[in-house]
Amino acid sequence: FERAIRTVPEIVTCWSIGGGIDYLLKVVTRDIDAYQRLVDSLLQRELGIDRYFTYIVTKAVKDSTVFPLEALANDSTRE
């Protein structure tokens, strides 16, 4: 699964997570039809996907790629 996911350009992020879900994917496609074709192609490849859930982003509230390193270095609670 992981090897196959690395080869799909529309999947821009893949996290392995704990809990009731094994992986969380961030997917970017032109439209919902392109997304569904991508999902169908992944299911046809028999990568071990038993079920999937889709959540559509309607608005980015915060989407930062910058980490607050200075704030972490100056964290007074770490003393």
Side-chain angles (χ1 to χ4, degrees):
F1 173 84
E2 292 178 6
R3 194 172 326 140
I5 292 305
R6 287 186 193 102
T7 68
V8 181
E10 295 92 343
I11 299 174
V12 297
T13 307
C14 176
W15 295 284
S16 175
I17 58 177
I21 299 171
D22 296 325
Y23 293 93
L24 178 62
L25 306 177
K26 184 176 184 179
V27 178
V28 178
T29 58
R30 174 180 293 247
D31 55 28
I32 207 71
D33 187 53
Y35 169 77
Q36 191 59 56
R37 287 193 310 271
L38 173 65
V39 169
D40 291 343
S41 71
L42 291 172
L43 293 171
Q44 289 174 359
R45 292 172 66 180
E46 298 183 10
L47 301 173
I49 302 171
D50 293 329
R51 62 186 173 163
Y52 70 96
F53 300 92
T54 299
Y55 300 94
I56 305 298
V57 175
T58 58
K59 178 174 87 171
V61 175
K62 183 174 182 180
D63 188 15
S64 179
T65 59
V66 178
F67 296 108
L69 299 179
E70 186 175 319
L72 293 173
N74 296 327
D75 186 358
S76 62
T77 62
R78 296 182 343 164
E79 297 176 13

